[in-house]
Amino acid sequence: TSVAATSTGADAEQEQQQQQQSNRMATIVIEHLIQASDVAHTMQHWHVYRKWNERLFDEMYQTYLNGRSEVDPSVNWYEGEI
């Protein structure tokens, strides 16, 4: 039984290592997708950029007005856009 228990423990450890490796790989893929979308947004048409930028500002401003954020986005909004 001790050989079987050792084998089961080793199998569980190997499975855990494989799961951690899989999680790392998934995290890397997600990080790359976020980076790609961050860069790609600068390549959209101006009217699309303005529409989504305005929606983002409105959402952040409402969050500020509702007390869910301490930062007023209207203070430095344009400096962050350049």
Side-chain angles (χ1 to χ4, degrees), residues 52-64:
W52 287 103
N53 204 31
E54 182 178 348
R55 289 179 179 182
L56 174 62
F57 177 82
D58 290 343
E59 182 176 340
M60 292 177 72
Y61 193 64
Q62 285 301 315
T63 302
Y64 170 72

Side-chain angles (χ1 to χ4, degrees), residues 19-33:
Q19 182 63 44
Q20 288 174 345
Q21 178 66 18
S22 178
N23 289 345
R24 259 193 300 279
M25 290 170 49
T27 300
I28 290 169
V29 168
I30 290 170
E31 287 176 354
H32 279 74
L33 288 171

Side-chain angles (χ1 to χ4, degrees), residues 28-44 48-49 52:
I28 290 169
V29 168
I30 290 170
E31 287 176 354
H32 279 74
L33 288 171
I34 291 170
Q35 288 175 351
S37 66
D38 188 39
V39 171
H41 91 278
T42 62
M43 298 176 196
Q44 60 192 339
V48 174
Y49 169 80
W52 287 103

